[in-house]
Amino acid sequence: MAPTVPLAVLALVALVAPVAPGCDYPAHRWCSSRDVAVACQVESRCPSLPRPAAAPVELSLYYESLCPACRQFLVLKLFPTWLLLPEEMLSITLVPYGNAQERNVSGKLHFQCQHGPEECLGNMMEACLMHEAKNFSTYFAVIFCLESGSSVTENLEACLQIYAPEVDSGRISACVQGDTGVALMHHNAQLTEALQPPHQYVPWITINGKHTDELQAQAEASLLGLVCHLYQGEKPEVCGGSKAPKVPSGCRR
């Protein structure tokens, strides 16, 4: 339904606003929608128009499944911030790979991870979980469960039962054991290796596609405050301010 605009306002708009080239609408319709107001170049004179939606803050987390600093950032900072904010404010991309190394041995890809084979398994499990669950809200809750538990690699069934019973654990296992898991890890390797500047440690955080020491420090100190500061749209009450404890230093290469 088009917003209701008082006739007095429309009359004033018609008097003070010259007719823009390409404006084929009568004055009483100039404020009926944003498209019409743009065509007639009267946006600033139509106070009742809804504000255009602001783009979400885009955060990408490059991490390892067993890195202590990665786990603490994801569990204590990223997941709570995501829960507190409206969906349209924060868009998150998770890339489990970190300081791993990819090698081609006789035509087959092999991965060596900083914290050993179990971490490689954890990375691939989480990549396969994202691939199978597809819905971010579903797989992020499960990853939170895995990373906050006693074992990333042994609690998949329990975490799925709690947070995503509709996801078939058998499909995730098949992904991990087959070519799909290898392809997903290769993709994550490419994303990680393409970082500019190259990552030096994990967790490695990019905000709106950029990484700087300042952004990293702000995200680790107060992620909620950083997202609230950067978001250009209407901000919720939770953006009144936030303080958070420091996380441990990252896992360097």
Side-chain angles (χ1 to χ4, degrees), residues 61 69 118 200 217 245:
L61 176 64
E118 186 179 5
Q200 302 169 19

Side-chain angles (χ1 to χ4, degrees), residues 13 31 34 37 41-47 49:
V13 169
C31 293
R34 182 163 297 278
Q41 299 180 14
V42 293
E43 289 174 275
S44 63
R45 298 182 177 90
C46 297
L49 283 178

